Amino acid sequence: MTVGSSPNSAPFPVPPMRWDAWGDPELAAPLSEGTSTLIRGMLGVTGETTLPTIDPATVIVPPSRLSGEDLAALRAIVGDDWVSTAAVDRLLRASGKSTPDLLRRRRPHQDAPDAVVIPASDDQVGQLLTWCTDHRVAVVPFGGGTSVVGGVDPVADGFGATVSVDLRRMDALLDLDEVSQVATLGAGVTGPDAERLLGERGYSLGHFPQSFRYATIGGFAVTRSSGQASAGYGRFDDMVQAITLVTPRGILQAGRSPKNAVGPDLRQLIMGSEGVFGVVTRVAVRVHRRPTATEYEGWRFDSFDAAAQAFRAVAQEGVMPTVMRVSDELETALNLARPTEIGESGDKAVPGGCLAITTFEGSPTAVAARAGVVRETFAAAGGQSLGPGPAQMWEHGRFSGPYLRDALLDIGVGCETLETATTWARLAEVKTAVTTALAAVLPEPTVVMCHLSHTYATGASLYFTVVYRQEGDALEQWLAAKHHVTTTLTEVGASITHHHAVGRDHRPWMSAEIGDLGVAVLSAVKAVLDPAGVCNPGKLI
Amino acid sequence: MTVGSSPNSAPFPVPPMRWDAWGDPELAAPLSEGTSTLIRGMLGVTGETTLPTIDPATVIVPPSRLSGEDLAALRAIVGDDWVSTAAVDRLLRASGKSTPDLLRRRRPHQDAPDAVVIPASDDQVGQLLTWCTDHRVAVVPFGGGTSVVGGVDPVADGFGATVSVDLRRMDALLDLDEVSQVATLGAGVTGPDAERLLGERGYSLGHFPQSFRYATIGGFAVTRSSGQASAGYGRFDDMVQAITLVTPRGILQAGRSPKNAVGPDLRQLIMGSEGVFGVVTRVAVRVHRRPTATEYEGWRFDSFDAAAQAFRAVAQEGVMPTVMRVSDELETALNLARPTEIGESGDKAVPGGCLAITTFEGSPTAVAARAGVVRETFAAAGGQSLGPGPAQMWEHGRFSGPYLRDALLDIGVGCETLETATTWARLAEVKTAVTTALAAVLPEPTVVMCHLSHTYATGASLYFTVVYRQEGDALEQWLAAKHHVTTTLTEVGASITHHHAVGRDHRPWMSAEIGDLGVAVLSAVKAVLDPAGVCNPGKLI
């Protein structure tokens, strides 16, 4: 590994996940020769695969643009051990985990922040922001590094350097109010650590996005994360009671009571701010006692439309499961045919149609009552119960999806996800429009699967997985498809993202989504909190 | 009535409620001689009562500061029939309905907006804002005029005049998406009209604040209204899917999907903005099919603390009634002893303790399931079921409370309400602090009653009614008490308002609630949307 200026030679302990792929190398799941041949054959991939992974020894990272004096100043703020310009540390915070990110990681020249700085307190974050403002250095807040929209890209945007501010030292359960069931967590607490810290006291947060194993509390807040149990426990923005934002202008502390009428809700302005207003350091969230009862039930519906109508009926009735999701016909078929899962598809077969799963958590009484209402609604809507198996199996494998993408890239197959939200009335139209848009740009046969995993009374999210044959410049190929499909979303009136956030990748469509005046409002807020514009430039607005 | 310049002599059709008291004169409920004597005796009111109501013929309203040319310009925008400087029209929009408002209405000199203008479209509102910006005239948006925080006071704040912009012509159900269950309503639609328009199609909004009979959709949104059925249907800010704000800089349209991750939620910035960013003209809200089943059940708890613990258990379990409220010991005793209701207190007596009521609306299956879970939780927490009577009686009289206040003022007795929200852990402390603060400032014996009517998993609102002997300058007497109790709220960490909003009256405590930086953020938003500052000056920030 070619290192620029590198005063620290050792990487920090407990590094984030792999720099060029998802997650834990131990859990990587390369495809068998047979499966690989099958998939390549189906998609028409021929000859040598594009995009080999890169030997870390050949990576070229530009030297840090920060001077020795700069680094001494940063060390004076956070402590000598918590500033690094080692290439390995910088690379580990150089991007998120979108497919474009993974494709870029396979190139010899890598962009990276000029230093990684790890503060331990609001005060240190404040001092960092002041120093960066005074020295015109851009600040990129870093949590788990799981962004799939370029949210942690080291964009200098006219500033002299970029500093990745990793929140991992702010990793404590700071307070647990067991009466109000509110936990205050440091922004750097990861999903598993939140569950561990709360679990020791008998509580759970219940926020399980696909990024759960790496992503952090601060990241959940600034990206409006939505977890797999959103039907029961709400989106992360529903859970947040109070939030602390350290800005170059001082600390903005929002949320003095669960709900109130004291003007606009500033929590909802900080959430979704993606680091452009400052650094979220602490979040007070609603938690719940660990459930004493859990029920699982899978359902078969004849079609995605029939399932969506059943989900709509449940959401509009207002008695919800904890988890409720349904795959469309294609995703149902392909999931059941997954190489590792054939023959394990639960206790009943799903002959065609769509597989839905529900989970109910709570007290025995509440679980029974809720499950009873949902069961009646699903049955009335044509659903056939499949017993607990499919839901249990889904829960077992629910965080492993991203590893498959790396394995596919290794055999020249592109794979990416994208998502949107819309009203029930527009759901079918939006699903068709996205599928058509992807098929129009990507080579035949492109596989577009979809599931509905976040359900509201008035609408739902749609989550798409696209698998296709890579051709030509694989990065350009996907970016063209992404551009086309995002423009299509704005044209059909759906949102450009339901829970992936905006970052760098969706930013060009912000005016289409919230209007020029909406962008002007967010820019005005940024101007008052971050007058020099050093906070995560090039993102969101 | 002494009229200044009055080119229009006739008032508009369908005037707002009385200029100097709550509601419909036909529904006024003066106290009987016996009840009056009893209450005066209990509170120690002696001699002549202060504050006689005023003969409208003697009211002195300053002449309109708008010239004939100004008025011609306004008429050119909204049409000849929709601009008035008649004193009667101006007085009807001169204030809200707080006790200070009612006390001020008993004085011979009245402040009032310089004209009332009634636009019919976004375009007309936009033209009005442009004209007012160009001519330095303040704009006060007006819905039902039910503010109890000075939200519609005609504050000129350095501008040459004030114009009340009454939204009543924007009174249509613009769209009903029956699949998504989203209704788009004009900002001027009143609570009853919303229910009527939706009811004709089989739907209901389910938003029933005490101001329901007069207040409007736009007002609900900009004040973050919370209705009596908030447990089941949510606060108004939970219901809003999309909102249209006309500003001097153009139209800000927020909300393209039920929920998303497209940056900060601008809906939540517009809601609670109280007219200072512009005029909300249209709101898309979640509605629901009219319920096919309703269950009522009253409960007795030994104490308010015991009831609060039961409410907390229900909210944290997550299966909620549609309406859930409980009066403290004093409010329970006094409500049951109301002059008009003695002997009608439901099918079972409540010997001491606290009366709670629950209502469940929905499908028969969902109602039965929800009621079953709540019943079990209440019983486990020591509640005793009282059958349906108390809840039915509450529903019957639920909008009549404000009339009693006028009757009390007529006999020299002060009466006002105030409210807050806090976490469960702080609930008892906050209740005591408010009660103590009021008793410390108002004359003995002051009656402070409380109920809990909006319940969240992490906390609740507390709603206080205070009844006291008026002494000295009745307005100054109450303002001193209000100042003391609001300061107390900020000191104990509770919010300065749960659903009454900020307006003019709570504005001095905004920095205590959201910090100077929070105020700076809101000011920056105002500066970009309303550069001249003409929108509802003197309110919120």
Side-chain angles (χ1 to χ4, degrees):
Chain A
M1 192 175 289
T2 307
V3 170
S5 59
S6 178
N8 286 346
S9 56
F12 296 125
V14 197
M17 59 180 155
R18 299 170 62 183
W19 78 283
D20 65 344
W22 183 264
D24 181 348
E26 300 293 313
L27 298 177
L31 297 170
S32 70
E33 186 67 30
T35 305
S36 175
T37 303
L38 182 69
I39 294 173
R40 284 163 57 95
M42 283 168 57
L43 294 175
V45 180
T46 56
E48 288 303 299
T49 62
T50 48
L51 306 160
T53 53
I54 194 162
D55 178 349
T58 69
V59 173
I60 299 159
V61 182
S64 174
R65 291 166 290 191
L66 293 168
S67 68
E69 193 181 337
D70 293 337
L71 296 168
L74 295 172
R75 286 198 197 92
I77 294 171
V78 297
D80 286 348
D81 294 341
W82 301 104
V83 176
S84 172
T85 53
V88 59
D89 294 325
R90 294 163 57 205
L91 276 176
L92 284 167
R93 282 106 178 154
S95 80
K97 298 295 177 188
S98 68
T99 294
D101 291 330
L102 300 180
L103 293 173
R104 288 190 192 100
R105 294 293 81 79
R106 297 179 182 221
R107 293 174 169 180
H109 286 84
Q110 293 295 325
D111 200 6
D114 294 283
V116 178
V117 181
I118 310 191
S121 67
D122 286 3
D123 186 53
Q124 289 183 5
V125 173
Q127 289 183 54
L128 283 176
L129 293 174
T130 299
W131 186 89
C132 288
T133 296
D134 292 345
H135 293 79
R136 299 196 55 72
V137 169
V139 175
V140 183
F142 190 91
T146 62
S147 173
V148 290
V149 293
V152 296
D153 288 5
V155 180
D157 202 25
F159 293 102
T162 62
V163 169
S164 176
V165 175
D166 189 321
L167 279 303
R168 64 181 45 218
R169 281 168 82 192
M170 305 180 82
D171 61 353
L173 172 59
L174 299 162
D175 184 62
L176 176 61
D177 172 350
E178 298 195 43
V179 175
S180 311
Q181 298 195 350
V182 174
T184 305
L185 292 157
V189 176
T190 64
D193 279 348
E195 290 300 331
R196 179 180 56 75
L197 291 164
L198 291 166
E200 289 166 0
R201 306 277 295 272
Y203 290 84
S204 170
L205 177 58
H207 187 68
F208 303 109
Q210 182 117 62
S211 59
F212 168 76
R213 288 194 175 138
Y214 296 91
T216 58
I217 295 295
F220 294 153
V222 298
T223 62
R224 296 185 170 273
S225 174
S226 194
Q228 291 161 349
S230 66
Y233 301 123
R235 298 160 52 89
F236 200 74
D237 51 16
D238 293 328
M239 297 179 179
V240 170
Q241 305 294 304
I243 187 163
T244 303
L245 177 75
V246 181
T247 81
R249 282 280 303 277
I251 293 178
L252 182 58
Q253 172 66 43
R256 272 169 72 93
S257 54
K259 295 276 187 178
N260 59 59
V262 190
D265 190 341
L266 294 177
R267 294 174 292 205
Q268 299 290 340
L269 188 65
I270 297 171
M271 284 188 283
S273 62
E274 302 190 14
V276 307
F277 299 158
V279 180
V280 166
T281 57
R282 195 160 55 250
V283 183
V285 284
R286 189 182 73 219
V287 297
H288 55 272
R289 299 284 310 172
R290 295 183 74 159
T292 51
T294 306
E295 265 193 37
Y296 298 92
E297 189 161 12
W299 291 81
R300 180 193 177 281
F301 289 92
D302 283 342
S303 67
F304 187 73
D305 284 350
Q309 285 190 37
F311 276 43
R312 174 164 73 86
V314 165
Q316 293 179 344
E317 179 82 276
V319 178
M320 293 282 274
T322 304
V323 175
M324 180 164 76
R325 48 195 291 135
V326 60
S327 295
D328 72 357
E329 292 83 350
L330 189 54
E331 187 172 282
T332 297
L334 289 175
N335 270 344
L336 293 176
R338 263 191 197 166
T340 58
E341 289 171 12
I342 286 173
E344 300 177 62
S345 61
D347 39 8
K348 294 190 190 174
V350 181
C354 292
L355 177 64
I357 64 116
T358 57
T359 304
F360 298 85
E361 294 180 355
S363 72
T365 307
V367 162
R370 289 159 58 205
V373 174
V374 172
R375 193 172 294 128
E376 183 171 311
T377 305
F378 273 10
Q384 302 159 250
S385 174
L386 303 172
Q392 289 167 328
M393 181 183 305
W394 166 81
E395 188 175 82
H396 178 71
R398 62 180 169 164
F399 300 123
S400 56
Y403 291 104
L404 183 60
R405 182 177 52 160
D406 291 307
L408 290 170
L409 288 181
D410 284 340
I411 62 165
V413 172
C415 176
E416 183 59 304
T417 62
L418 57 91
E419 31 82 82
T420 185
T422 190
T423 56
W424 291 114
R426 282 185 178 158
L427 199 76
E429 176 197 355
V430 170
K431 183 170 185 290
T432 300
V434 168
T435 306
T436 305
L438 289 167
V441 177
L442 293 169
E444 218 178 333
T446 282
V447 176
V448 182
M449 300 175 276
C450 181
H451 62 249
L452 189 168
S453 47
H454 304 277
T455 310
Y456 308 102
T458 57
S461 71
L462 288 172
Y463 191 95
F464 298 90
T465 302
V466 52
V467 181
Y468 59 96
R469 179 173 77 244
Q470 291 191 327
E471 286 182 350
D473 181 320
L475 179 59
E476 292 305 320
Q477 180 194 22
W478 172 251
L479 292 180
K482 175 75 176 176
H483 188 280
H484 183 55
V485 75
T486 309
T487 300
T488 299
L489 286 173
T490 64
E491 287 168 357
V492 296
S495 279
I496 55 175
T497 174
H498 171 263
H499 59 269
H500 280 177
V502 177
R504 195 179 185 182
D505 297 358
H506 291 137
R507 185 177 175 235
W509 290 271
M510 277 297 275
S511 285
E513 176 93 20
I514 66 169
D516 290 339
L517 199 52
V519 174
V521 165
L522 296 181
S523 300
V525 173
K526 181 173 175 69
V528 74
L529 295 175
D530 174 28
V534 295
C535 294
N536 217 11
K539 320 295 162 54
L540 186 62
I541 47 174
Chain B
M1 194 176 287
T2 307
V3 172
S5 61
S6 177
N8 286 347
S9 55
F12 295 125
V14 197
M17 60 180 154
R18 299 170 61 182
W19 78 284
D20 64 345
W22 183 263
D24 180 349
E26 300 293 313
L27 298 176
L31 298 169
S32 70
E33 187 67 31
T35 304
S36 175
T37 303
L38 182 70
I39 293 173
R40 284 164 56 96
M42 283 168 56
L43 294 175
V45 181
T46 55
E48 289 302 299
T49 63
T50 48
L51 307 161
T53 53
I54 194 162
D55 178 350
T58 69
V59 174
I60 298 160
V61 181
S64 173
R65 292 166 289 191
L66 293 167
S67 68
E69 193 181 337
D70 293 336
L71 297 169
L74 295 173
R75 285 197 198 94
I77 295 170
V78 298
D80 287 347
D81 294 342
W82 301 105
V83 176
S84 173
T85 54
V88 59
D89 294 325
R90 291 165 58 204
L91 275 176
L92 283 167
R93 283 111 179 146
S95 80
K97 298 296 177 187
S98 69
T99 293
D101 290 330
L102 300 180
L103 293 173
R104 289 190 192 101
R105 293 294 81 80
R106 295 179 183 222
R107 293 173 169 181
H109 286 84
Q110 294 294 324
D111 199 7
D114 294 282
V116 179
V117 180
I118 310 190
S121 67
D122 286 3
D123 185 54
Q124 290 183 5
V125 172
Q127 289 183 55
L128 282 175
L129 292 174
T130 299
W131 186 89
C132 287
T133 296
D134 292 345
H135 293 79
R136 298 197 53 74
V137 169
V139 174
V140 183
F142 189 92
T146 62
S147 173
V148 289
V149 293
V152 296
D153 288 5
V155 180
D157 201 25
F159 294 100
T162 62
V163 169
S164 176
V165 174
D166 188 321
L167 279 302
R168 62 181 45 218
R169 282 169 82 192
M170 304 180 85
D171 61 354
L173 171 59
L174 299 161
D175 184 62
L176 176 61
D177 171 351
E178 298 193 43
V179 175
S180 311
Q181 299 195 349
V182 174
T184 305
L185 291 157
V189 176
T190 63
D193 279 346
E195 291 300 331
R196 179 180 55 75
L197 291 164
L198 291 166
E200 289 166 359
R201 306 276 295 271
Y203 291 85
S204 169
L205 177 59
H207 187 69
F208 302 109
Q210 182 117 64
S211 59
F212 168 76
R213 288 194 175 136
Y214 297 92
T216 57
I217 295 296
F220 294 153
V222 298
T223 62
R224 295 186 171 275
S225 173
S226 194
Q228 292 160 349
S230 65
Y233 301 123
R235 299 158 53 87
F236 201 74
D237 51 17
D238 294 326
M239 296 179 179
V240 170
Q241 305 294 305
I243 187 164
T244 303
L245 177 75
V246 180
T247 82
R249 281 281 302 277
I251 293 179
L252 182 59
Q253 172 67 42
R256 270 170 74 94
S257 55
K259 296 276 186 178
N260 60 60
V262 189
D265 190 341
L266 294 176
R267 294 175 292 205
Q268 299 291 340
L269 188 65
I270 298 172
M271 284 188 285
S273 62
E274 302 190 14
V276 308
F277 298 158
V279 181
V280 166
T281 56
R282 195 161 53 251
V283 184
V285 284
R286 188 182 73 218
V287 297
H288 55 272
R289 298 286 307 174
R290 296 183 73 159
T292 51
T294 306
E295 266 194 36
Y296 298 91
E297 189 160 11
W299 291 82
R300 181 195 175 279
F301 289 93
D302 283 343
S303 68
F304 187 72
D305 284 350
Q309 285 189 37
F311 276 44
R312 174 165 74 87
V314 165
Q316 292 179 345
E317 178 81 275
V319 178
M320 295 281 274
T322 304
V323 175
M324 180 164 77
R325 48 195 291 136
V326 60
S327 295
D328 72 359
E329 293 84 348
L330 189 54
E331 187 171 283
T332 297
L334 289 175
N335 270 344
L336 293 176
R338 263 192 197 165
T340 58
E341 289 173 10
I342 287 172
E344 301 177 62
S345 61
D347 38 9
K348 293 188 191 173
V350 181
C354 292
L355 176 64
I357 64 116
T358 56
T359 303
F360 298 85
E361 295 180 354
S363 72
T365 306
V367 163
R370 289 158 59 203
V373 174
V374 172
R375 192 173 295 127
E376 182 172 310
T377 306
F378 273 10
Q384 302 159 250
S385 175
L386 302 173
Q392 290 168 328
M393 181 184 304
W394 167 81
E395 188 175 82
H396 178 71
R398 63 178 168 165
F399 300 123
S400 56
Y403 291 103
L404 183 60
R405 182 176 53 160
D406 291 307
L408 289 169
L409 288 181
D410 284 339
I411 62 165
V413 172
C415 175
E416 182 59 304
T417 63
L418 57 92
E419 31 82 81
T420 184
T422 190
T423 58
W424 290 114
R426 283 184 176 159
L427 198 77
E429 175 197 356
V430 170
K431 183 171 186 289
T432 300
V434 169
T435 306
T436 306
L438 288 167
V441 178
L442 293 168
E444 218 178 332
T446 281
V447 176
V448 182
M449 301 175 275
C450 181
H451 62 251
L452 189 168
S453 47
H454 304 278
T455 310
Y456 309 103
T458 57
S461 71
L462 288 172
Y463 191 95
F464 298 90
T465 303
V466 53
V467 181
Y468 59 96
R469 180 173 75 245
Q470 291 191 327
E471 286 183 348
D473 181 321
L475 179 59
E476 292 305 321
Q477 180 194 20
W478 173 250
L479 292 180
K482 175 75 176 176
H483 189 281
H484 183 56
V485 75
T486 309
T487 300
T488 300
L489 286 173
T490 65
E491 287 168 357
V492 296
S495 280
I496 54 175
T497 173
H498 172 264
H499 59 268
H500 280 176
V502 177
R504 194 179 184 181
D505 297 357
H506 291 137
R507 185 176 174 236
W509 290 272
M510 276 298 274
S511 285
E513 175 95 18
I514 66 169
D516 290 339
L517 199 52
V519 174
V521 166
L522 296 182
S523 300
V525 174
K526 181 172 174 68
V528 73
L529 295 176
D530 174 28
V534 296
C535 294
N536 217 11
K539 320 295 163 54
L540 187 61
I541 47 174

